[in-house]
Amino acid sequence: MVKKKTCIFISGNGSNLNNLIKNSRDYVFPISVSLVISDNPSAGGIKFARKNSIPFILINTKTRSYENKILQNLRKYKISIICLAGFMKILSKKFLSNFRYKVLNIHPSLLPKFKGLNTYYRIIKNKEKKTGCTVHLVNEKLDGGKIIVQKSFFISENDDEKKLKFKTQRLEYAAYPEAIIKLLRYTNS
Ligand code: GRF
């Protein structure tokens, strides 16, 4: 199987990155993690790139041309899929429109509910009965593109933010690989 070269964008712990690296070792999983991009030099996830000898690039998002630097590297490494996994920057409309790559994101809520930051806090405050995670295509609207996979669970009375995060992320580790397989099957490329 010819695997699609994929770049994972991170800003933090990188547990989804680690999960995708593990999945990609499976012979029939359709992507290889070929590049990691981080906008945060102290992102914990960088260790997973190092450990697995995957090239990683640090991007300084304070410079004006950082999206060009990203594009150059995506071309250099022949990337055809991008997976955002806890990447805290919004990619511009121009970046996305220049783009022949497929871009996915994972968000810790049942979109379109609870777009944006502080998701777990708002879910608890709103006394939601159910929550989960969503993998969606990225467009220029925050957490707004077509939904590919969504997984949910019922919230218990004693779930706090920490427990919600734990339960949500456990679902994320199943949802992201599933979404990648689904996307590539649909688009047949
Ligand atoms: C994930 O829970 C994802 O939903 C959100 O950011 C978190 C990243 O976690 N967008 P990790 O860095 O993959 O551990």
Side-chain angles (χ1 to χ4, degrees):
M1 161 183 256
V2 181
K3 290 176 177 250
K4 296 277 174 195
K5 291 185 196 297
T6 299
C7 178
I8 317 287
F9 286 40
I10 60 165
S11 300
N13 288 337
S15 66
N16 278 283
L17 164 66
N18 192 33
N19 176 55
L20 290 176
I21 293 171
K22 283 185 183 157
N23 274 276
S24 71
R25 291 202 194 109
D26 187 325
Y27 176 70
V28 293
F29 195 65
I31 64 157
S32 63
V33 180
S34 304
L35 182 65
V36 173
I37 285 182
S38 172
D39 65 332
N40 173 9
S42 39
I46 291 171
K47 69 172 175 287
F48 298 119
R50 279 211 183 91
K51 207 171 113 190
N52 292 283
S53 308
I54 297 167
F56 68 89
I57 314 277
L58 279 175
I59 297 291
N60 179 357
T61 53
K62 291 195 177 82
T63 60
R64 279 180 72 201
S65 58
Y66 78 89
E67 285 191 338
N68 287 336
K69 187 176 172 196
I70 295 178
L71 270 175
Q72 280 165 15
N73 279 293
L74 295 174
R75 290 195 189 106
K76 180 174 163 196
Y77 287 92
K78 299 188 172 22
I79 299 298
S80 55
I81 311 275
I82 289 177
C83 293
L84 307 181
F87 185 62
M88 298 305 283
K89 267 303 219 230
I90 293 176
L91 297 166
S92 73
K93 194 173 173 178
K94 185 168 171 247
F95 178 86
L96 292 167
S97 69
N98 269 319
F99 218 71
R100 59 200 162 77
Y101 312 97
K102 298 180 177 73
V103 189
L104 285 168
N105 182 40
I106 188 155
H107 186 75
S109 77
L110 297 174
L111 290 174
K113 285 179 140 187
F114 303 102
K115 297 177 179 183
L117 297 175
N118 299 320
T119 325
Y120 302 118
Y121 170 77
R122 289 184 289 134
I123 288 168
I124 288 188
K125 202 169 162 225
N126 218 44
K127 300 192 175 12
E128 291 294 304
K129 290 195 165 51
K130 231 174 138 185
T131 188
C133 65
T134 306
V135 183
H136 62 94
L137 286 172
V138 174
N139 61 17
E140 67 285 357
K141 292 185 190 134
L142 176 69
D143 300 324
K146 182 180 157 52
I147 292 171
I148 308 294
V149 168
Q150 211 160 42
K151 289 191 182 289
S152 64
F153 62 94
F154 286 100
I155 300 174
S156 308
E157 262 177 33
N158 58 355
D159 278 348
D160 55 13
E161 282 184 56
K162 203 174 153 196
K163 284 184 186 149
L164 269 199
K165 182 176 176 184
F166 179 79
K167 291 181 181 178
T168 305
Q169 288 208 317
R170 231 173 23 189
L171 288 187
E172 288 185 344
Y173 305 146
Y176 222 152
E178 199 177 308
I180 289 168
I181 290 169
K182 200 169 159 187
L183 179 74
L184 291 178
R185 193 183 295 144
Y186 277 170
T187 53
N188 193 28
S189 58

